[in-house]
């Protein structure tokens, strides 16, 4: 029975895996920016790998993976819904990290990455909502309900859309970068609430799945698709960050070099 | 104050506000009054106050309790939270995943006759995903579950 | 639709939901890739014109 609040459940294994992925990418990003950022186009390889993995992953999801015991064929939606959920969370985590990096360092690379991750995260969260609704109708019986998980996910999506809208309204490059970052850090609150919503409150949405609750052949397909989404997301983010850098150079050519200590 | 230290101050402020908000939400009991659903026990404990108000309740569909009359579109079953059993009466067929032993969230009103009249039955399933077992056909699951429980 | 029997507990069919979900993935991710590509192209054109007018 899940009638109590499930606050005290161990989440360590869950978060440890997440932290490992976050750590590896964060180190990569820091190293990349330290070496001068957007100089080489290495990301197309990652993008092609992601594309190939998505094609294979969708074949596995649609054809070769087994039906779910109770959900039948509809269970296959898991393989696009759960990766989009993971990657939405991961991407917004990096929006928050890059925003913090920007505010502390003032380096423009971080601002471009904030804009890029926020926009890609919004795209992923739209996919998350769309697949979630299509999953909910045949299983729960409704497309949408005023449930804590669904409402908090929507708040998260709208928060980051709001941050991007705010960014579009500001013309001054410095103010734009600063307030995008502040807004992103505040919007991240809604992402953390979304993650914990199924533990803090009663919800029709089930708890996060883990390898303990998903059968092995399905875990493999799920992981494959998650990595496919991860590589595509990295490609999107780098492409988008390059675009930000190009636009900025075009719209506001730097008048003065960055402050150099005497 | 120069730009750099102003930015750092803003960062600290945003992190503190964000972290504080999350911390507060994790500790607060705000959610307790705004529950998405109640258990049958909680609803019955409310006594008169729980009657004739539209609420959602969640429980497991009790064994051998489902009575479906397709001609009248009438669905009767009982839900159970381990302590309290409540009779549910609704119209229309439930979602396909409906079966004895599964979790349901039922929206409706509790009448003075202690029968909960529902206008919506939603399925709350757990986070387990498994392929069908060897030689298992969809229709058999219901039977094995009925025998097992 | 009035099913005679209920309580099977198993979703039958539902391929439409599956196909729409997978199609949504392609449309959204593919659409976003196209949008990135087009914005890069537009930027290249503007750079060739020597900055914004």
């Amino acid at each position: 029975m899940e009638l109590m609040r499930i606050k005290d459940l161990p989440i360590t294994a869950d978060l440890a895996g997440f932290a490992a992925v976050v750590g590896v990418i964060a180190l990569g990003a820091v190293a990349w920016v330290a070496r001068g950022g957007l100089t080489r186009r290495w990301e197309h390889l990652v993008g092609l790998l992601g594309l190939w993995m998505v094609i294979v992953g969708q074949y596995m999801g649609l054809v070769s993976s087994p039906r779910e015991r109770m959900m039948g064929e509809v269970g296959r939606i898991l393989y696009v819904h759960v990766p989009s959920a993971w990657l939405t969370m991961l991407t917004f985590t990096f929006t928050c990290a890059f925003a913090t990096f920007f505010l502390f360092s003032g380096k423009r690379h971080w601002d471009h990455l904030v804009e890029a991750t926020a926009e890609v995260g919004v795209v992923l969260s739209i996919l998350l909502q769309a697949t979630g609704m299509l999953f909910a109708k045949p299983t729960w019986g409704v497309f949408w309900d005023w449930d804590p998980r669904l409402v908090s996910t929507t708040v998260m999506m709208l928060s980051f859309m709001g941050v991007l809208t705010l960014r579009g309204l500001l013309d001054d490059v410095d103010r734009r970068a600063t307030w995008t970052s502040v807004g992103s850090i505040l919007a991240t609150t809604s992402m953390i609430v979304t993650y914990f919503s199924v533990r803090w409150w009663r919800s029709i949405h089930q708890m996060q799945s883990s390898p303990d609750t998903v059968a092995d052949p399905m875990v493999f397909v799920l992981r494959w698709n998650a990595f496919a989404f991860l590589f595509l997301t990295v490609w999107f983010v780098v492409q988008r960050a390059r675009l930000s850098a190009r636009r900025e150079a075009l719209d506001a050519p730097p008048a003065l070099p960055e402050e150099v200590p005497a | 104050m120069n730009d750099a230290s102003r930015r750092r101050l803003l960062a600290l402020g945003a992190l503190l506000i964000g972290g504080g908000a999350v911390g507060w939400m994790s500790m607060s009991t705000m959610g307790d009054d705004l529950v998405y659903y109640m258990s049958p026990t909680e609803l019955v404990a409310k006594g008169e106050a729980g009657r004739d108000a539209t609420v959602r309740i969640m429980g497991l569909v009790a064994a051998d309790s489902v009575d479906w009359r397709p001609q009248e579109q009438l669905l009767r079953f009982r839900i159970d939270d381990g302590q309290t059993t409540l009779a549910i009466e609704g119209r229309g067929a439930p979602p396909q995943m409906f079966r004895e032993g599964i979790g349901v969230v039922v929206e409706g009103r509790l009448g003075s006759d202690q029968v909960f009249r529902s206008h919506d039955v939603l399925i709350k399933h757990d986070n387990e995903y498994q392929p069908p077992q060897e030689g298992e056909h969809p229709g058999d699951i219901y039977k094995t579950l009925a025998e097992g429980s | 639709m009035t099913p005679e029997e209920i309580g099977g507990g198993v979703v039958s069919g539902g391929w439409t939901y599956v196909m729409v979900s997978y199609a949504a993935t392609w449309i959204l991710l593919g659409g976003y890739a196209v949008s990135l590509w087009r914005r890069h192209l537009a930027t290249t054109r503007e750079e060739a014109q020597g900055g914004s007018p």
Side-chain angles (χ1 to χ4, degrees):
Chain A
M1 290 305 301
E2 290 182 21
L3 285 179
M4 306 159 301
R5 287 209 299 190
I6 323 170
K7 265 184 167 181
D8 310 318
L9 233 87
I11 51 169
T12 39
D14 229 14
L15 290 184
F18 188 70
V21 174
V22 169
V24 168
I25 299 175
L27 279 177
V30 170
W32 172 47
V33 167
R35 292 185 53 191
L38 311 158
T39 46
R40 284 227 206 107
R41 295 193 162 263
W42 53 272
E43 72 275 14
H44 294 324
L45 265 180
V46 180
L48 283 174
L49 178 64
L51 183 65
W52 172 71
M53 282 187 76
V54 162
I55 293 169
V56 176
Q58 298 226 325
Y59 173 81
M60 289 197 290
L62 282 175
V63 183
S64 71
S65 92
R67 278 199 321 270
E68 210 279 328
R69 202 159 168 244
M70 302 292 173
M71 298 180 189
E73 312 296 354
V74 170
R76 300 177 189 283
I77 299 175
L78 192 74
Y79 306 123
V80 285
H81 179 63
V82 170
S84 54
W86 285 340
L87 266 297
T88 302
M89 298 281 183
L90 187 73
T91 308
F92 285 148
T93 304
F94 277 100
T95 312
C96 182
F98 294 151
T100 311
F101 293 169
F102 172 75
L103 288 175
F104 278 99
S105 76
K107 288 238 164 51
R108 273 295 146 63
H109 301 311
W110 297 126
D111 175 55
H112 303 149
L113 284 167
V114 169
E115 184 179 27
T117 47
E119 191 180 289
V120 173
V122 166
V123 172
L124 286 168
S125 65
I126 292 170
L127 181 61
L128 169 65
Q129 297 272 34
T131 54
M133 288 169 99
L134 289 161
F135 208 175
K137 178 64 181 168
T139 55
W140 302 344
V142 286
F143 281 112
W144 168 266
D145 202 16
W146 292 100
D147 160 274
R149 177 36 94 76
L150 308 195
V151 171
S152 59
T153 310
T154 308
V155 170
M156 169 179 75
M157 183 175 79
L158 294 176
S159 304
F160 283 94
M161 283 178 172
V163 169
L164 288 172
T165 309
L166 172 77
R167 184 184 178 86
L169 293 176
L170 294 172
D171 284 329
D172 181 79
V173 182
D174 285 307
R175 290 183 62 211
R176 189 172 73 186
T178 303
W179 290 107
T180 308
S181 286
V182 172
S184 296
I185 292 173
L186 293 177
T188 306
T189 311
S190 65
M191 183 203 84
I192 300 171
V193 170
T194 302
Y195 177 83
F196 283 107
S197 59
V198 283
R199 296 172 187 271
W200 289 348
W201 301 303
R202 294 173 180 179
S203 168
I204 192 162
H205 196 286
Q206 57 273 47
M207 302 265 291
Q208 287 91 351
S209 301
S210 73
D212 296 336
T213 66
V214 180
D216 292 344
M218 294 176 160
V219 170
F220 176 76
V221 182
L222 203 50
R223 287 220 172 110
W224 180 280
N225 276 292
F227 276 99
F229 271 58
L230 174 66
F231 294 139
L232 280 183
T233 302
V234 169
W235 183 75
F236 282 147
V237 167
V238 178
Q239 284 296 302
R240 185 62 186 82
R242 277 190 202 292
L243 185 66
S244 298
R246 292 179 73 187
R247 297 298 327 175
E248 193 175 287
L250 201 59
D251 297 339
L256 290 166
E258 294 215 7
E259 47 186 304
V260 183
Chain B
M1 189 159 50
N2 65 14
D3 266 6
S5 46
R6 187 169 153 271
R7 269 200 318 265
R8 276 166 211 162
L9 213 63
L10 279 170
L12 285 176
L15 286 169
L16 277 176
I17 293 171
V22 171
W24 179 74
M25 289 190 93
S26 71
M27 305 308 261
S28 85
T29 52
M30 174 190 80
D32 294 354
D33 305 322
L34 271 169
V35 286
Y36 174 67
Y37 55 73
M38 290 190 277
S39 70
T41 307
E42 287 164 342
L43 180 62
V44 170
K46 280 190 160 191
E48 278 301 316
R51 301 251 167 82
D52 291 324
T54 302
V55 291
R56 294 191 193 89
I57 52 173
M58 187 275 192
L60 303 187
V61 178
D64 293 327
S65 72
V66 179
D67 175 16
W68 166 240
R69 300 186 185 167
Q71 284 79 25
E72 301 144 72
Q73 290 279 296
L74 186 67
L75 175 68
R76 285 203 210 123
F77 59 100
R78 290 193 304 276
I79 64 169
D80 190 342
D81 64 359
Q83 285 180 55
T84 309
T85 307
L86 209 56
I88 314 281
E89 199 178 291
R91 303 225 156 249
Q96 287 183 313
M97 285 184 83
F98 185 85
R99 63 174 159 81
E100 293 176 359
I102 200 167
V104 284
V105 174
V106 188
E107 194 175 300
R109 292 153 180 264
L110 182 65
S112 48
D113 54 356
Q114 294 294 342
V115 173
F116 191 90
R117 283 180 182 76
S118 84
H119 53 80
D120 243 334
V121 176
L122 306 186
I123 301 296
K124 177 172 168 61
H125 58 80
D126 56 21
N127 56 358
E128 292 192 11
Y129 297 88
Q130 284 163 15
Q133 273 142 29
E134 199 71 34
E136 191 174 66
H137 297 290
D140 297 344
I141 290 169
Y142 164 65
K143 290 181 199 123
T144 46
L145 276 167
E147 284 156 14
S149 55
Chain C
M1 193 183 78
T2 310
E4 289 290 314
E5 298 274 335
I6 58 155
V10 176
V11 181
S12 63
W15 271 109
T16 315
Y17 295 107
V18 180
M19 296 318 285
V20 175
S21 297
Y22 279 63
T25 308
W26 280 103
I27 291 166
L28 262 162
L29 298 185
Y32 187 64
V34 169
S35 122
L36 279 176
W37 176 64
R38 291 187 55 153
R39 283 185 282 174
H40 270 289
L41 274 188
T43 310
T44 308
R45 260 200 310 277
E46 280 184 45
E47 281 167 353
Q49 287 163 8
S52 45

